[in-house]
């Protein structure tokens, strides 16, 4: 259902993989910026939260790729 919706609006596997790698970078940047504010515990939790998006985007990218293969046979 979601995969068909993503494909219908033009989201490709490349977009999902790019979002996955971008979330890794955003996680590191967020952690570094929040750590500089002085609250290290919050910085770690927030950085990990954003870092957890990466596997979701990668899995969605794989699902889109698999759905294309199923349709083409």
């Amino acid at each position: 259902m979601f995969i068909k919706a993503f494909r219908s609006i033009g989201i490709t596997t490349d977009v999902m993989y790019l979002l996955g790698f971008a979330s890794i970078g955003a996680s590191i940047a967020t952690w570094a910026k929040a750590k500089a504010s002085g609250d290290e515990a919050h910085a770690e939790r927030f950085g990990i939260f954003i870092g957890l998006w990466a596997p979701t985007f990668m899995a969605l990218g794989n699902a889109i790729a698999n759905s294309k293969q199923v349709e083409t046979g």
Side-chain angles (χ1 to χ4, degrees), residues 3 6 11-25 50-67:
I3 302 306
F6 287 145
I11 296 177
T12 64
T13 57
D14 293 337
V15 171
M16 286 297 180
Y17 295 148
L18 180 65
L19 288 172
F21 286 114
S23 71
I24 294 169
I50 294 173
L52 289 173
W53 299 349
T56 304
F57 287 128
M58 298 293 182
L60 287 170
N62 285 335
I64 291 171
N66 289 339
S67 72

Side-chain angles (χ1 to χ4, degrees), residues 26-36 40 43-48:
S27 173
I28 294 167
T30 300
W31 169 75
K33 185 172 180 168
K35 187 175 179 182
E40 288 189 30
E44 288 178 8
R45 286 191 303 268
F46 198 51
I48 289 170

